[in-house]
Amino acid sequence: MDWRRTHFCGAVTEELAGQEVVVNGWVNRRRDLGGMIFVDLRDRFGLVQIVFDPNLLDDGVFAQAEKLRGEFVVSVRGIVQLRPEGQANPNLKTGKVEIHARDLTILSAAKTPPFEINRAEDVDESLRLKYRYLHLRSKDLQDAIILRHQVAAEARNFLNENHFLEIETPMLIRSTPEGARDFIVPSRVHPGEFYALPQSPQMFKQLLMISGFDRYYQIVRCFRDEDLRADRQPEFTQIDVEMSFVEQEDVMGLMEQMICHIIKKVKGITIDGPIPRMTYQEAMERYGSDKPDTRFGMELVTLNEGLNDSEFRVFASTISTGGFIRGINAEGAGTFTRREIDQLTEKAEQWGARGLIWMAVEEGTVRSPIAKFLTEGEINYIVESLRGKPGDLLLLVADSFKVTSEVLGRLRLLLGEQLGMIDENRFDLLWVVEWPLLEYDEEAGRYVAAHHPFTSPLDEDIELLETDPGRARAKAYDLVLNGVELGGGSIRIYDRSVQEKMFKALGFTMDEAMSQFGYFMEAFEYGAPPHGGIAFGFDRLIMLLAGRDSIRDVIAFPKTVSARDLMVDAPAPVNQSQLQELKIKMLD
RNA sequence: GGAGCCGUGGUGUAGUUGGUUAACACGCCGGCCUGUCACGCCGGAGAUCGCGGGUUCGAGUCCCGUCGGUUCCGCCA
């Protein structure tokens, strides 16, 4: 028998009733009633019920059907029939029909899998990762991987329509000291020298602009040798974009169209109007975060004004040293037990606060360990400023702007979740703009690029590079979705002298800058167009669209938090001869 | 580098103040069953409780260490 399929399992519908079809797939489940066998056959497109009825079959075929077990790979030839009255299965796309088998070929038998494919979600993750190819058979992962493909396809459609070219850039490049730790690759041809895997194709895409390609994109793998998280893998994918002859608004305008296009196409959700913009400063003031989750309120409030004359020592010393007293209102959390409040305090301290002040609002009064140190006017001021109602819990932190932002911003997220204030069905997009260009790194004792060293300062802030670098703002923009940084980009420096100032501000000597980035700065001297771009975290985007909480769920073959691939068992030692060839010797 | 949680038949879990045959569900194997769809009914096999050490007459249970997974902090745009 020719076993090759005529139709996909998931595509066998009423219109085919009466027709002979051949389907190929995996046995999802079998129900052997003795005289009659039902099998749900699975492929990428869904399930279809096969009926093995001895009255319609050769004995030999029925005997074969009795051998079927879960995950056997088979080909079935049969007639599509409408199911008898009352026998339709509304849970199945193909539930109105079934295939009455005439012939069966077992293409591949299967051992009993180490876990049930249909219930893989609860199984220990190390087992699922070892048998990733089996877990990938589950509907959840298939859906995620299919969604991933659709998003990539829609991104390409949109960018292609808009005159972008997809251009590949090298994977073996030069290590640079800025940013994350590089993965390095030894060179056999040049013993003692190393390539690095790209953290992003940043300089290459800028050089492509200088080459005149005008609009570039790439759905590209990037590598960072840093510790992992639920949303961080050592290799991950970006939608990388760069455009010439543009200003910030041009990039943001087009890219928000792209994201809205993708969300519309794959989720059917229309996002109205332009995506809201917020400056970095405003985000920090209102949400204590540079990537605020705007799906709920609980905004931070600064309370210095009414507490200027407070005699409470914590407040007085904070204000006299130029610090801030800021708070949030955890609505309805007044019922928290002492233990729950202690846990919040513990978190606050872990995040850098010296303490957490709480105030439970009650009918006409407040309950708080610091109430006795405050005047009635001060208490009223705090309650009113935070719009406290009976039953609310007010939480205050007194410290620097940075610490109060950090701590209250995180508490806000924690409480928003605990109190069920987050509407999981919302897609809240937000642009955060006017980023600081540089941040002071206490450890390194110098400024480091907040974004990367090629980000252009605002025109009016260029001078600050030499006078007060910490105050310089950048032509940078981040797109935030539900409190997750989806992507970030900037208008780039395209003038050699500005780029030199930037390196100088970062503490590079001219020699260092030249040896690391000389080729790049030289390129600016041969006619560089104004340009800018953006890169989106592709895996994170898929994770959010798929409603998952780990990017491992949207990557076909992910690594564990200790950066291992449990399926291929990598990393692994190599032969002595391989090391020899590379002139590499182990230290221990 | 640090902290938390998890680890018991193939899978998911239960396992009392440490006590003798480690329980349940799913899966698997066998039997019965012609309209099931998480089929049903009957029977069966399957576990040195992640690994190592310690306390104890006795450890799945207590202690120490270690390995693996995971979440978070540091790190990372």
Side-chain angles (χ1 to χ4, degrees):
Chain A
M1 149 188 177
D2 185 356
W3 54 265
R4 290 172 300 174
R5 70 182 160 211
T6 59
H7 294 80
F8 294 114
C9 298
V12 178
T13 52
E14 301 94 287
E15 294 93 77
L16 296 172
Q19 236 176 279
E20 181 178 274
V21 297
V22 180
V23 289
N24 299 165
W26 285 260
V27 173
N28 192 62
R29 205 175 275 283
R30 106 199 127 93
R31 291 175 292 279
D32 184 347
L33 273 59
M36 206 173 195
I37 300 169
F38 295 92
V39 164
D40 293 334
L41 201 64
R42 182 187 74 230
D43 66 13
R44 203 180 96 198
F45 300 89
L47 298 174
V48 67
Q49 175 164 278
I50 314 288
V51 185
F52 292 96
D53 182 339
N55 298 328
L56 304 168
L57 284 170
D58 295 346
D59 289 352
V61 175
F62 194 78
Q64 283 286 95
E66 285 182 311
K67 289 186 196 153
L68 292 179
R69 294 294 181 270
E71 303 307 314
F72 273 37
V73 181
V74 302
S75 173
V76 174
R77 185 174 58 80
I79 312 292
V80 179
Q81 303 268 284
L82 289 175
R83 292 195 187 188
E85 198 60 30
Q87 295 288 335
N89 183 347
N91 300 323
L92 238 48
K93 204 167 42 171
T94 61
K96 287 184 180 149
V97 295
E98 57 195 6
I99 297 173
H100 288 223
R102 290 294 149 83
D103 204 352
L104 166 69
T105 309
I106 295 176
L107 297 167
S108 194
K111 292 206 289 189
T112 303
F115 52 84
E116 292 172 67
I117 309 294
N118 298 312
R119 295 175 197 174
E121 287 300 293
D122 301 325
V123 173
D124 182 66
E125 189 147 9
S126 58
L127 191 70
R128 279 151 40 191
L129 287 170
K130 182 176 175 193
Y131 293 100
R132 184 64 169 183
Y133 52 91
L134 295 180
H135 190 197
L136 282 168
R137 287 182 189 169
S138 72
K139 179 155 171 51
D140 284 334
L141 282 196
Q142 292 244 327
D143 286 349
I145 298 299
I146 291 166
L147 177 72
R148 186 179 172 107
H149 162 80
Q150 287 168 340
V151 171
E154 288 305 334
R156 287 198 167 95
N157 284 346
F158 180 89
L159 292 164
N160 295 344
E161 279 300 307
N162 284 279
H163 312 295
F164 285 82
L165 298 174
E166 184 165 20
I167 305 174
E168 289 159 285
T169 53
M171 287 285 125
L172 296 174
I173 66 168
R174 182 191 167 116
S175 182
T176 56
E178 291 291 295
R181 190 179 295 117
D182 283 324
F183 275 100
I184 59 173
V185 180
S187 163
R188 174 186 57 79
V189 183
H190 303 283
E193 297 189 86
F194 298 84
Y195 300 99
L197 302 180
Q199 297 177 26
S200 82
Q202 185 60 34
M203 281 185 283
F204 291 98
K205 68 175 174 175
Q206 289 191 242
L207 290 164
L208 288 169
M209 294 304 100
I210 294 172
S211 302
F213 287 104
D214 207 279
R215 291 186 170 196
Y216 143 96
Y217 78 95
Q218 189 179 188
I219 296 180
V220 63
R221 197 68 56 82
C222 302
F223 305 86
R224 289 177 192 161
D225 188 6
E226 299 291 349
D227 287 346
L228 285 73
R229 286 287 188 283
D231 62 351
R232 269 168 27 198
Q233 286 268 308
E235 49 179 309
F236 61 99
T237 304
Q238 288 189 341
I239 307 177
D240 195 44
V241 173
E242 198 76 6
M243 306 168 72
S244 292
F245 304 108
V246 289
E247 282 289 7
Q248 179 164 325
E249 284 300 321
D250 302 308
V251 180
M252 290 166 68
L254 197 60
M255 288 301 102
E256 69 179 62
Q257 277 182 44
M258 179 181 82
I259 292 295
C260 293
H261 169 84
I262 290 170
I263 292 175
K264 173 83 185 145
K265 286 284 184 179
V266 304
K267 299 293 285 186
I269 295 171
T270 306
I271 290 165
D272 311 313
I275 293 172
R277 317 279 163 100
M278 188 181 292
T279 65
Y280 171 85
Q281 184 61 29
E282 186 183 351
M284 296 307 285
E285 278 171 12
R286 291 175 57 192
Y287 297 97
S289 167
D290 58 14
K291 42 177 191 292
D293 189 338
T294 50
R295 287 175 298 175
F296 67 105
M298 212 196 295
E299 293 189 18
L300 279 60
V301 176
T302 300
L303 302 163
N304 286 37
E305 204 183 311
L307 300 172
N308 262 325
D309 303 321
S310 177
E311 295 188 1
F312 177 43
R313 203 185 313 160
V314 173
F315 290 173
S317 73
T318 300
I319 286 173
S320 70
T321 56
F324 290 82
I325 302 153
R326 300 165 79 195
I328 51 174
N329 177 0
E331 290 179 46
T335 55
F336 274 24
T337 61
R338 191 54 204 258
R339 199 177 129 71
E340 285 172 301
I341 294 173
D342 285 347
Q343 280 169 352
L344 294 177
T345 305
E346 206 174 296
K347 290 274 187 196
E349 284 168 0
Q350 191 188 319
W351 293 327
R354 275 164 299 194
L356 180 67
I357 295 164
W358 60 270
M359 207 175 267
V361 184
E362 298 179 338
E363 227 34 271
T365 178
V366 299
R367 186 163 47 85
S368 168
I370 68 151
K372 56 175 177 270
F373 302 116
L374 300 178
T375 66
E376 201 171 316
E378 287 162 354
I379 291 175
N380 285 339
Y381 168 77
I382 292 170
V383 173
E384 277 168 29
S385 301
L386 286 164
R387 300 208 163 87
K389 311 176 300 300
D392 291 351
L393 181 69
L394 312 181
L395 297 167
L396 277 60
V397 175
D399 213 303
S400 64
F401 183 77
K402 198 176 159 194
V403 170
T404 52
S405 297
E406 174 85 7
V407 172
L408 290 170
R410 285 180 185 236
L411 280 174
R412 173 178 174 272
L413 288 179
L414 183 73
L415 288 161
E417 200 167 320
Q418 272 183 20
L419 298 170
M421 298 172 88
I422 299 173
D423 179 354
E424 299 288 344
N425 294 318
R426 269 172 71 171
F427 276 92
D428 267 23
L429 284 158
L430 174 74
W431 284 108
V432 178
V433 297
E434 281 183 31
W435 288 72
L437 186 68
L438 304 164
E439 282 167 359
Y440 194 74
D441 182 336
E442 301 284 348
E443 219 174 292
R446 65 173 181 95
Y447 283 101
V448 295
H451 194 68
H452 56 56
F454 316 111
T455 299
S456 172
L458 295 188
D459 297 332
E460 62 266 37
D461 288 359
I462 290 181
E463 303 175 6
L464 288 172
L465 274 184
E466 287 167 317
T467 56
D468 189 359
R471 278 185 51 220
R473 289 162 299 168
K475 291 184 183 171
Y477 31 88
D478 269 18
L479 186 62
V480 176
L481 173 54
N482 296 347
V484 176
E485 181 203 330
L486 255 198
S490 61
I491 296 300
R492 325 298 183 187
I493 296 167
Y494 67 102
D495 178 284
R496 174 165 179 148
S497 67
V498 177
Q499 187 67 63
E500 281 179 14
K501 280 180 196 157
M502 181 71 174
F503 281 129
K504 207 173 285 174
L506 290 171
F508 280 74
T509 65
M510 208 48 221
D511 281 351
E512 286 167 343
M514 282 311 288
S515 81
Q516 292 288 339
F517 301 106
Y519 70 96
F520 190 63
M521 290 200 287
E522 189 183 3
F524 289 158
E525 297 181 293
Y526 289 102
H531 62 286
I534 194 166
F536 293 96
F538 184 63
D539 311 280
R540 281 188 194 171
L541 174 62
I542 310 302
M543 174 180 94
L544 291 167
L545 293 175
R548 313 292 306 212
D549 31 46
S550 167
I551 60 170
R552 288 189 303 275
D553 295 337
V554 299
I555 295 173
F557 298 104
K559 294 180 176 53
T560 68
V561 276
S562 63
R564 283 199 166 277
D565 183 322
L566 294 179
M567 190 181 69
V568 305
D569 196 18
V574 295
N575 293 336
Q576 197 54 43
S577 62
Q578 288 175 284
L579 290 178
Q580 207 117 48
E581 222 169 20
L582 297 164
K583 304 271 198 290
I584 287 177
K585 200 164 146 189
M586 288 297 162
L587 279 177
D588 310 319

